[in-house]
Amino acid sequence: QVQLVESGGGLVQPGGSLRLSCAASGNIDNRYAMAWHRQAPGKQRELVAGITGAGRTNYADSVKGRFTISRDNAKNTVYLQMNSLKPDDTAVYYCYARLSQAPYSSIWGQGTQVTVSS
């Protein structure tokens, strides 16, 4: 069973940058679609960015132009580069993997806290 471990969260001032990493304990080759979600206090978890096995990406409107998702299958790692951070970006960020073929299993990481505040 593949496990996901996020890192790179922390406290940053508005306008700053962070890079989140999601390391998989096993092989996350192009059979897996990967994504980052986030959940702020009192709000539902929402999709931030996704990347398919073929490398196609999609983003929430709120982060377009500021965040970039990427993957390095050789390192079994997915990244989220976050620039021009805003207080509204404050949330726990979760890594997510979904197998794109049967049995279509999915995996969540434990989350990493991102706080944007002056």
Side-chain angles (χ1 to χ4, degrees):
Q1 175 75 7
V2 174
Q3 293 183 324
L4 305 175
V5 178
E6 301 96 333
S7 61
L11 174 64
V12 63
Q13 291 187 343
S17 298
L18 283 176
R19 189 175 83 153
L20 304 183
S21 298
C22 171
S25 61
N27 186 15
I28 51 163
D29 56 24
N30 58 11
R31 296 174 300 157
Y32 284 89
M34 305 296 296
W36 288 94
H37 290 72
R38 68 186 181 187
Q39 187 166 19
K43 295 187 177 181
Q44 290 188 329
R45 191 173 296 189
E46 63 175 357
L47 175 67
V48 175
I51 185 167
T52 68
R56 291 189 301 273
T57 59
N58 65 286
Y59 297 92
D61 287 343
S62 60
V63 307
K64 281 181 182 176
R66 300 188 297 121
F67 290 10
T68 302
I69 188 171
S70 60
R71 64 191 295 164
D72 186 337
N73 289 348
K75 295 182 178 180
N76 295 317
T77 302
V78 177
Y79 305 97
L80 184 68
Q81 178 67 43
M82 305 185 295
N83 299 328
S84 302
L85 283 161
K86 306 174 181 179
D88 283 351
D89 296 318
T90 295
V92 178
Y93 284 70
Y94 296 92
C95 185
Y96 173 78
R98 190 181 73 90
L99 192 59
S100 300
Q101 61 191 58
Y104 302 102
S105 51
S106 60
I107 310 157
W108 288 95
Q110 84 289 349
T112 185
Q113 176 70 46
V114 172
T115 302
V116 184
S117 175
S118 55

